[in-house]
Amino acid sequence: GANSVEWPIEMTRASEAAARAFWPLGNTRLEKRLGLIAAPTLILWGDRDSILPLSYAGKFAAEINRGINGATRVETVANAGHLAYLDQPDAVARAVLTHLG
């Protein structure tokens, strides 16, 4: 379960396995699919993400906003890297709960 001591290790291993399976992704045509999102969207981004720069979050939000009637918001998570939910789980949970509020 998420409260076990092993949970962060399990999540890291799962992320590593996914990265090995899907990297390099090449052109996934993500930009063409973002406009299909039909709900208000929260994009959370670690302010210390060394894999993808914060500028990607803005690009993703702009493409999502082109195709929906809801708002897309970008929020950075302080002191978090690419896996913000592992680095700052409480901050991520608060942001998600506020968004769903």
Side-chain angles (χ1 to χ4, degrees):
N3 293 327
S4 74
V5 175
E6 291 86 15
W7 182 252
I9 296 168
E10 291 173 20
M11 291 303 298
T12 301
R13 287 183 179 159
S15 295
E16 179 184 1
R20 288 179 188 270
F22 297 114
W23 192 266
L25 292 175
N27 186 356
T28 61
R29 303 205 191 319
L30 178 63
E31 69 281 357
K32 293 185 181 207
R33 297 193 315 264
L34 289 172
L36 299 174
I37 297 173
T41 304
L42 172 65
I43 298 174
L44 293 176
W45 213 273
D47 69 350
R48 295 183 180 176
D49 189 334
S50 60
I51 296 174
L52 292 173
L54 180 59
S55 62
Y56 276 78
K59 292 175 185 177
F60 293 164
E63 288 300 317
I64 293 169
N65 279 334
R66 288 173 153 219
I68 66 171
N69 293 323
T72 300
R73 216 173 74 246
V74 175
E75 188 173 319
T76 58
V77 180
N79 300 314
H82 191 67
L83 301 176
Y85 60 92
L86 290 180
D87 295 336
Q88 297 294 334
D90 292 337
V92 169
R94 276 191 304 274
V96 170
L97 290 173
T98 299
H99 177 71
L100 295 175

